[in-house]
Amino acid sequence: MNPDLSRERATASFNTETITYILDGSPERTHRRRELESVVINDPDFQHEDLNFLSRSERYEVAIKKSAKMAQHMQTLGLLNHEEIFWFRNFVHKGRPDPLEVHIIMFLPTLLSQATPEQNKRLFVPAWKLQIIGTYAQTELGHGTHLRKLETTATYDPSTQEFILNSPTVSSTKWWPGGLGKTANYAVVVAQLYTQGECKGPHGFIVPIRQMGTHEPLPGVTVGDIGPKFGFEEVDNGFLKFDKVRIPRENMLMKHAQVHPDGTYVKPLSNKLTYGSMVYIRAMIVGFSARFLSMACTIAIRYSAIRHQSEIRPGEPEPQILDFQTQQYTLFPLLATVYAIQFMGSYMGKAYYRITRDIQQGNLNELPELHALSAGLKAFATWVASYGIEECRMSCGGHGYSHCSGIPNIYVTFTAACTYEGDNTVLMLQSARFLFKSYTKALSGERLGGTVSYLNDVSLQNLQAHTLPGRPLVTDINDLGSLVEAYKQRAAWLVVAASKNVQADLNRGKFKEDAFNKSSVDMVRAADAHCHYVIVKAFVEKLSEVLDMAAHRILSVLCLLYALHGISRNSGDFLQASILASSQINLIQERIKDLLEVIRPNAVALVDAFEHSDSQLGSVLGRYDGNVYENMFEWAKKSPLNKTPVHESFHKYLKPLQSKL
């Protein structure tokens, strides 16, 4: 063990395992997670050489092999709980994507949430056994998030009781679905439903795309891999075109909307019911964001504790770079962000299942808010995590650029989340539209609940009361309750201001779409502030559940740092709305520096609490034992370029030139 890391762990003011239990939700969940990880660690089928030295085709083959073994183990272990399935898949693939990921986290949940009992009886068990391997084909070359303009069509033919799938244009080609290129033999295809001469909008259809047994594309189906990408080397993201492909009427997902044999269309109770899979995935992505950022923070903080460089005073020993305040200011707010988003992700998961149960009982009241909140938080969390991972890489200096650090792989794997399952800006605008509608309802006297209840006082009397100089809303910058109120007032101020701009343009006769577009930058800022408020509030509320005093103290410090750092980064909003005074911003900057000192002796223990094994991190810099440099040298020796002392290209191209000298 590196002595620097040993000393760091000895200085922690809390029991690391206690924090781990809080992050997991309970000691029982931690023990179960460890149990599943041990199954993977002790199985030679799940071990492989460093992926960094393999070609894309080799990576795909390794991933497929492991995924097939993974599916067998999941059946043997009887894994049915979604969280345990997620844990197990993550351990097998060491946090990286795999060709069956969409099958597991999209195709199977879509069957459960949108298929009828008869359809699930026919399809789910074969899909669980990998006899059917599915993907989710929604995005097209020409359209992604804007579902209403998808071009793939599904036209119902009552004479044969079949749907005819067709891709009428090049831009209607399905593009990007994971597992589509070479792996899947079925797809949930989102297409424009036409019946009785009318378009009923996008609906989901279960479509076989490859022949069972031979795996050859079925007649009328053109399918393949889209080629190399920024990351996701193991995944066969694909394209898909249909030329008048017929499927039985029973292959339409009909739990919520139906087409009768004669072509009669029965609409769902709510159009948003068909978006259940997207809401589920977006809610899960919030948790993904915390996990990926936590991996990058673990690597950067451990490495910063063992890296010595640039003495503070000439002639003295080089200090750990984690002792530099600038390094702390970069990394510790990101560490606090991980905890904030982790707790928000847990909240979203619980909210999703609670509201899903309500929906099953016919109560759709909270569905619009869940849809809007999952969209906004997905965007907020992935933006923050993506930027944060890159900051962690740069904080590792030159070595962070090497794949041996693990952070480049983390970044290219995660940053795709900013655009898949909905482009972040578009999702923020979806959330903003919900906020505008909520504001309009509040103006009309309707009482709002949930996360937008702060809009009930749309007269803004509470805001106007502190607009005079010297009368800020918040008086104690160390009081978490007051800071939650500050974030709430900031969100209210931005939502109301942006909504008033939209309303003013509507009053001048502008079309709603034009009015909203003219103020869309303001609306995105408002949605971002709303998400920020919800996360701060969730973090503070989580503290009330923490009974261990030492754990409560350090988590309270992280929570305070997260809230104050967010104010510092967005100080203009808080000043402009007179929520804080300029003198308080100066105090906040100084208080942040104080908090960095409190976190400093606890930093390594706080990342240890995430319990990312060396295998999961895939990082030489972030090794638990801290023995970095000797292992970096051994890692470099494995490069394929080092298999021979002289590369064959020398003899082909350079030696002839040198022989002429």
Side-chain angles (χ1 to χ4, degrees):
M1 184 68 66
N2 182 289
D4 285 323
L5 283 187
S6 294
R7 284 192 298 271
E8 293 291 334
R9 292 178 175 122
T11 63
S13 64
F14 60 91
N15 185 311
T16 303
E17 194 165 69
T18 301
I19 300 290
T20 301
Y21 293 159
I22 294 168
L23 289 167
D24 283 337
S26 70
E28 293 74 23
R29 285 155 63 93
T30 296
H31 297 324
R32 178 56 172 164
R33 175 178 55 76
R34 291 171 179 170
E35 180 184 355
L36 292 175
E37 185 171 19
S38 68
V39 171
V40 175
I41 290 173
N42 295 321
D43 192 325
D45 286 337
F46 294 131
Q47 312 312 313
H48 58 76
E49 61 182 294
D50 195 314
L51 293 176
N52 290 297
F53 300 129
L54 301 181
S55 68
R56 180 169 178 244
S57 180
E58 289 170 332
R59 285 189 180 202
Y60 171 74
E61 185 171 352
V62 167
I64 281 290
K65 178 182 176 182
K66 290 170 66 177
S67 291
K69 291 289 184 181
M70 175 185 72
Q72 294 172 3
H73 278 69
M74 285 167 55
Q75 294 165 26
T76 302
L77 294 168
L79 297 186
L80 297 174
N81 178 280
H82 79 282
E83 191 168 49
E84 293 189 353
I85 291 171
F86 164 74
W87 286 340
F88 194 70
R89 197 204 68 79
N90 181 52
F91 295 143
V92 168
H93 290 284
K94 306 184 190 306
R96 297 188 61 77
D98 72 278
L100 290 188
E101 186 170 10
V102 175
H103 174 78
I104 292 172
I105 69 173
M106 281 292 285
F107 186 79
L108 291 174
T110 297
L111 290 180
L112 291 175
S113 64
Q114 297 188 38
T116 64
E118 183 279 328
Q119 289 172 323
N120 270 312
K121 184 178 179 180
R122 174 164 51 96
L123 297 169
F124 189 83
V125 172
W128 179 248
K129 293 180 178 180
L130 294 190
Q131 295 164 348
I132 288 176
I133 301 174
T135 186
Y136 193 89
Q138 176 173 290
T139 298
E140 298 175 354
L141 265 175
H143 289 91
T145 308
H146 190 38
L147 299 185
R148 293 194 302 274
K149 290 298 183 179
L150 293 178
E151 297 177 75
T152 302
T153 60
T155 305
Y156 184 63
D157 180 356
S159 66
T160 60
Q161 294 191 26
E162 293 175 318
F163 289 101
I164 306 170
L165 274 294
N166 202 42
S167 304
T169 63
V170 171
S171 57
S172 69
T173 305
K174 295 296 180 183
W175 202 269
W176 281 114
L180 174 61
K182 292 295 177 183
T183 309
N185 52 21
Y186 270 72
V188 168
V189 176
V190 180
Q192 299 287 359
L193 167 62
Y194 283 85
T195 183
Q196 296 181 337
E198 294 183 359
C199 179
K200 301 298 182 180
H203 288 69
F205 301 85
I206 305 163
V207 185
I209 58 174
R210 287 184 169 96
Q211 184 71 45
M212 301 297 286
T214 67
H215 209 58
E216 293 288 337
L218 288 167
V221 174
T222 302
V223 61
D225 179 81
I226 66 171
K229 307 163 292 286
F230 188 48
F232 276 59
E233 293 92 340
E234 298 89 347
V235 179
D236 53 325
N237 297 86
F239 59 79
L240 178 65
K241 281 179 63 70
F242 298 104
D243 183 12
K244 300 180 178 60
V245 173
R246 289 178 172 264
I247 60 172
R249 182 184 68 88
E250 293 77 16
N251 279 29
M252 174 182 166
L253 290 168
M254 292 201 199
K255 183 175 183 178
H256 303 299
Q258 295 92 37
V259 171
H260 290 173
D262 65 354
T264 301
Y265 176 73
V266 180
K267 67 179 182 180
L269 292 175
S270 168
N271 289 331
K272 290 184 172 62
L273 287 172
T274 59
Y275 300 160
S277 297
M278 287 187 296
V279 171
Y280 168 72
I281 294 302
R282 288 169 183 170
M284 286 189 67
I285 289 173
V286 177
F288 289 174
S289 302
R291 181 169 64 84
F292 277 88
L293 182 55
S294 72
M295 293 168 68
C297 282
T298 299
I299 294 166
I301 287 175
R302 284 180 181 169
Y303 178 61
S304 296
I306 68 99
R307 178 76 170 183
H308 290 251
Q309 189 159 292
S310 303
E311 69 271 10
I312 296 176
R313 286 189 291 269
E316 292 191 353
E318 291 184 304
Q320 298 159 279
I321 60 173
L322 199 56
D323 286 337
F324 288 100
Q325 189 183 73
T326 49
Q327 190 79 342
Q328 297 169 16
Y329 190 77
T330 296
L331 295 177
F332 293 174
L334 294 175
L335 178 60
T337 300
V338 171
Y339 279 84
I341 296 178
Q342 170 77 21
F343 296 141
M344 190 69 240
S346 298
Y347 170 88
M348 283 298 295
K350 293 174 183 176
Y352 173 80
Y353 286 106
R354 174 177 56 79
I355 294 172
T356 298
R357 287 193 296 270
D358 291 345
I359 291 171
Q360 292 171 350
Q361 297 171 4
N363 181 2
L364 307 180
N365 293 339
E366 293 187 75
L367 183 57
E369 181 178 7
L370 177 65
H371 185 260
L373 189 61
S374 66
L377 285 173
K378 181 268 183 185
F380 185 97
T382 54
W383 267 332
V384 167
S386 183
Y387 299 148
I389 292 167
E390 175 64 359
E391 285 190 87
C392 286
R393 185 193 67 78
M394 290 188 289
S395 75
C396 292
H399 292 326
Y401 191 67
S402 169
H403 272 299
C404 80
S405 74
I407 299 181
N409 280 327
I410 293 171
Y411 181 77
V412 298
T413 297
F414 178 76
T415 196
C418 293
T419 46
Y420 67 55
E421 296 308 318
D423 174 85
N424 279 359
T425 301
V426 176
L427 293 185
M428 274 296 188
L429 287 170
Q430 289 181 7
S431 184
R433 287 187 180 91
F434 172 76
L435 293 173
F436 175 73
K437 290 177 182 177
S438 298
Y439 166 74
T440 304
K441 290 178 180 179
L443 274 181
S444 66
E446 183 176 335
R447 296 295 294 176
L448 304 174
T451 61
V452 292
S453 58
Y454 60 82
L455 292 175
N456 284 321
D457 187 7
V458 293
S459 67
L460 288 188
Q461 291 176 356
N462 57 336
L463 285 178
Q464 293 168 354
H466 61 81
T467 55
L468 296 176
R471 294 186 59 184
L473 175 68
V474 175
T475 57
D476 185 358
I477 63 168
N478 291 296
D479 179 64
L480 289 172
S482 296
L483 295 178
V484 171
E485 182 67 21
Y487 273 90
K488 182 175 76 172
Q489 294 297 341
R490 174 197 176 216
W493 180 72
L494 286 169
V495 170
V496 172
S499 297
K500 281 186 172 181
N501 289 340
V502 174
Q503 193 60 53
D505 279 332
L506 291 174
N507 294 341
R508 285 191 286 267
K510 283 187 176 291
F511 289 112
K512 185 176 181 180
E513 295 78 9
D514 293 332
F516 200 89
N517 183 52
K518 186 179 176 183
S519 297
S520 57
V521 171
D522 298 331
M523 293 304 296
V524 167
R525 287 183 61 215
D528 183 89
H530 174 75
C531 292
H532 210 163
Y533 154 65
V534 171
I535 292 174
V536 171
K537 184 171 182 286
F539 200 161
V540 173
E541 290 176 349
K542 182 66 180 180
L543 294 176
S544 65
E545 303 174 14
V546 180
L547 303 180
D548 182 271
M549 292 303 296
H552 189 279
R553 278 194 297 272
I554 193 62
L555 290 178
S556 295
V557 171
L558 286 173
C559 185
L560 185 58
L561 176 61
Y562 179 74
L564 293 181
H565 189 262
I567 291 174
S568 175
R569 286 290 183 92
N570 300 279
S571 57
D573 292 342
F574 292 93
L575 288 170
Q576 200 172 353
S578 297
I579 298 169
L580 291 165
S582 58
S583 60
Q584 290 176 301
I585 299 298
N586 294 332
L587 290 174
I588 285 172
Q589 295 284 13
E590 293 304 312
R591 185 64 177 127
I592 288 173
K593 296 173 188 175
D594 295 338
L595 295 174
L596 298 180
E597 292 183 9
V598 178
I599 293 171
R600 170 64 187 87
N602 293 287
V604 170
L606 283 167
V607 297
D608 283 352
F610 300 136
E611 289 201 345
H612 294 306
S613 66
D614 287 348
S615 176
Q616 292 293 307
L617 286 179
S619 170
V620 178
L621 299 191
R623 291 172 59 95
Y624 183 83
D625 63 14
N627 296 323
V628 171
Y629 301 125
E630 54 268 58
N631 284 288
M632 282 183 68
F633 191 53
E634 292 302 315
W635 183 87
K637 290 179 183 178
K638 297 175 184 177
S639 169
L641 288 176
N642 292 325
K643 286 185 177 180
T644 59
V646 179
H647 195 267
E648 61 183 13
S649 62
F650 171 78
H651 299 286
K652 291 181 179 178
Y653 308 113
L654 297 179
K655 187 176 180 179
L657 297 176
Q658 296 175 0
S659 64
K660 296 177 182 179
L661 296 178

